[in-house]
Amino acid sequence: MVWESVLEKFKELFGSEGEIGVYFAPGRVNMIGEHTDYNGGHVFPCALTIGTYGVARKRDDKKLRFYSMNFEQLGVLESSVENLKPEKEADWTNYPKGVMWAFGEKGMKVEQGMDLVLFGNIPNGSGLSSSASVEVLTGFILRDMFGFDVTNQDLALIGQYSENKFNGVNCGIMDQFAIAMGKAGHAIFLDTATLQYEYAPIKLENAKIVISCSNKKRGLGDSKYNERRSECESALAQMKEVIDIASLGDLTEEQFEQHKDAIKDELCRKRAKHAVYENQRTVKAVEALKNNDVALFGKLMNESHVSLRDDYEVTGIELDTLVEEAWKVDGVIGSRMTGAGFGGCTVSIVKDASVDTFIREVGAAYEKKIGYAADFYVVEIGDGPVKLA
Ligand code: GLA
């Protein structure tokens, strides 16, 4: 068991006395509905069985001691629950600290410190939400330790609040929601305008979900992400002058086509087009899945990638190569980038019999073109956060 080695590390570093809890929160993959969650649109993510393990113990003083088995070179990082501030040189402790700070902002001040050891088996910076996983995990641990009266949905909102206000990334609600509300075997069809959601079973007869990791780190991704957000906000403001809407997610394709000239700037018009069409595509994709039409679901995934490549411009050569090579393989039902883009991962639905060929052929073509290897993960859809021991 992975968690046993994390518990062992905890005891080695911080001793074995007192009440020690062992926890897990998943990572997530988004099947379709990309860059729609800050545009009042729909998303369709699911939690994974890979994620972040955490072992924690409450302290009697205000001290925080953090250790990550993914960043062992950093050693034990210490701080305090008083004056929680983001570190200038961003390190991973900004995520748990941000969540503690966010609880305080919401009237649930964390008065005591804790010792915490983490280990994540999600590749870092890969677009599978390792950071949201740490945020939801921290919130889950705080609730368990201090008895805060919050639901899993609140944990998602607190995680997003901390990422926006403490870490300065203007993300939407998708990642934290998918992680906090995950359900094995199901994706979550979430309307980000209202937070109404529905679980949809993912029944892929004779097929698997394969994640291809480009191993290109996001790098400038966060600033580009915020840039896309403001382009959409500018498009929305111009649209509002001609039609009464609250968000781009309110528009049908027809309404967009009818009024798009209100958006004067061509770039913003393209961004808005993606937001509107991708939202409608997500609704259609979920409908297709309900009708057991996995082929149509796959086709809509492919169209999503094209729109993210050409109109939203968040893919790049690495993700395009992974997807375009995937499309060439027999037995691939659909393939697209997933997450914020600018590096990270793609998600593909691949027939069982083709998975080995897929990994071999896409892997070889990627390495030849990009100069370094991609990694492949055949994943399962898992539950939300749990206390393991
Ligand atoms: C990142 C953000 C999400 C969402 C996706 C793009 O993962 O954290 O809120 O906007 O990008 O769909």
Side-chain angles (χ1 to χ4, degrees):
M1 294 297 239
V2 184
W3 66 265
E4 282 166 352
S5 62
V6 190
L7 179 60
E8 211 165 287
K9 189 76 200 177
F10 182 97
K11 289 180 176 169
E12 179 193 317
L13 289 168
F14 301 136
S16 55
E17 63 285 356
E19 204 178 311
I20 301 173
V22 182
Y23 309 84
F24 171 80
R28 70 95 188 90
V29 65
N30 187 24
M31 299 304 294
I32 194 161
E34 215 66 80
H35 289 278
T36 49
D37 68 344
Y38 50 86
N39 285 309
H42 293 80
V43 292
F44 196 52
C46 41
L48 298 172
T49 54
I50 51 174
T52 317
Y53 294 84
V55 176
R57 183 179 55 206
K58 185 158 65 177
R59 298 178 57 92
D60 294 329
D61 58 11
K62 307 268 178 200
K63 203 187 257 188
L64 293 167
R65 293 193 295 179
F66 294 124
Y67 184 86
S68 167
M69 293 168 73
N70 299 89
F71 298 101
E72 294 193 311
Q73 69 284 6
L74 298 178
V76 174
L77 298 165
E78 292 201 8
S79 60
S80 156
V81 289
E82 298 294 342
N83 300 317
L84 288 164
K85 282 193 293 297
E87 299 301 326
K88 282 195 208 76
E89 290 296 321
D91 68 54
W92 69 270
T93 66
N94 281 337
Y95 294 110
K97 281 195 284 207
V99 173
M100 291 177 189
W101 169 86
F103 267 84
E105 294 290 298
K106 306 277 173 199
M108 295 168 278
K109 192 163 172 3
V110 178
E111 304 279 3
Q112 287 165 265
M114 68 158 94
D115 296 327
L116 176 68
V117 173
L118 293 188
F119 170 69
N121 54 4
I122 317 170
N124 291 315
S126 63
L128 301 181
S129 291
S130 53
S131 47
S133 177
V134 172
E135 288 159 5
V136 172
L137 181 72
T138 307
F140 190 82
I141 293 174
L142 292 175
R143 176 173 77 187
D144 188 59
M145 248 181 203
F146 299 109
F148 293 133
D149 184 17
V150 285
T151 62
N152 275 27
Q153 186 165 318
D154 296 331
L155 294 181
L157 289 164
I158 292 170
Q160 182 200 16
Y161 185 81
S162 77
E163 179 125 8
N164 292 168
K165 307 284 180 198
F166 197 85
N167 289 295
V169 179
N170 236 341
C171 67
I173 188 62
M174 171 171 74
D175 303 347
Q176 291 82 2
F177 199 96
I179 290 168
M181 305 295 284
K183 180 168 168 179
H186 293 72
I188 308 175
F189 182 43
L190 170 68
D191 179 347
T192 62
T194 59
L195 295 189
Q196 298 258 27
Y197 65 96
E198 188 186 309
Y199 290 110
I202 300 284
K203 289 176 286 177
L204 302 174
E205 310 232 314
N206 308 321
K208 296 268 183 303
I209 300 174
V210 183
I211 292 185
S212 311
C213 183
S214 68
N215 286 323
K216 155 115 194 281
K217 299 286 180 224
R218 253 165 69 180
L220 282 175
D222 290 348
S223 60
K224 288 274 174 210
Y225 183 89
N226 288 346
E227 185 183 291
R228 289 296 175 281
R229 265 199 93 136
S230 43
E231 286 161 351
C232 287
E233 277 157 21
S234 154
L236 173 63
Q238 295 175 69
M239 266 290 183
K240 276 182 165 174
E241 288 174 17
V242 294
I243 180 167
D244 182 23
I245 50 169
S247 68
L248 294 173
D250 289 344
L251 292 170
T252 61
E253 291 110 327
E254 295 73 28
Q255 286 171 319
F256 175 77
E257 293 302 332
Q258 194 186 336
H259 297 293
K260 67 182 179 191
D261 293 339
I263 308 170
K264 296 294 168 239
D265 177 66
E266 202 202 319
L267 207 61
C268 291
R269 204 181 309 130
K270 273 167 68 173
R271 306 304 190 228
K273 179 179 176 210
H274 168 78
V276 172
Y277 278 71
E278 179 75 355
N279 178 43
Q280 297 298 334
R281 234 185 326 266
T282 306
V283 175
K284 288 177 198 156
V286 175
E287 196 54 41
L289 210 58
K290 280 188 187 155
N291 297 331
N292 282 321
D293 192 347
V294 181
L296 176 57
F297 188 88
K299 185 169 165 279
L300 292 162
M301 286 174 77
N302 297 346
E303 286 173 13
S304 164
H305 185 83
V306 170
S307 175
L308 289 155
R309 183 189 67 194
D310 299 344
D311 287 332
Y312 219 64
E313 297 181 278
V314 291
T315 56
I317 176 128
E318 296 83 3
L319 294 173
D320 288 338
T321 302
L322 285 174
V323 165
E324 285 156 21
E325 292 300 327
W327 289 342
K328 293 181 191 163
V329 179
D330 265 352
V332 170
I333 297 167
S335 184
R336 56 182 289 278
M337 61 150 270
T338 184
F342 313 104
C345 292
T346 68
V347 56
S348 309
I349 301 180
V350 186
K351 293 215 168 116
D352 290 341
S354 303
V355 170
D356 291 343
T357 318
F358 174 93
I359 295 176
R360 198 176 51 245
E361 290 184 1
V362 176
Y366 183 80
E367 190 159 358
K368 185 156 175 248
K369 183 150 180 189
I370 305 297
Y372 53 85
D375 288 317
F376 297 88
Y377 304 84
V378 180
V379 295
E380 303 289 338
I381 304 179
D383 281 313
V386 282
K387 186 169 188 181
L388 297 166

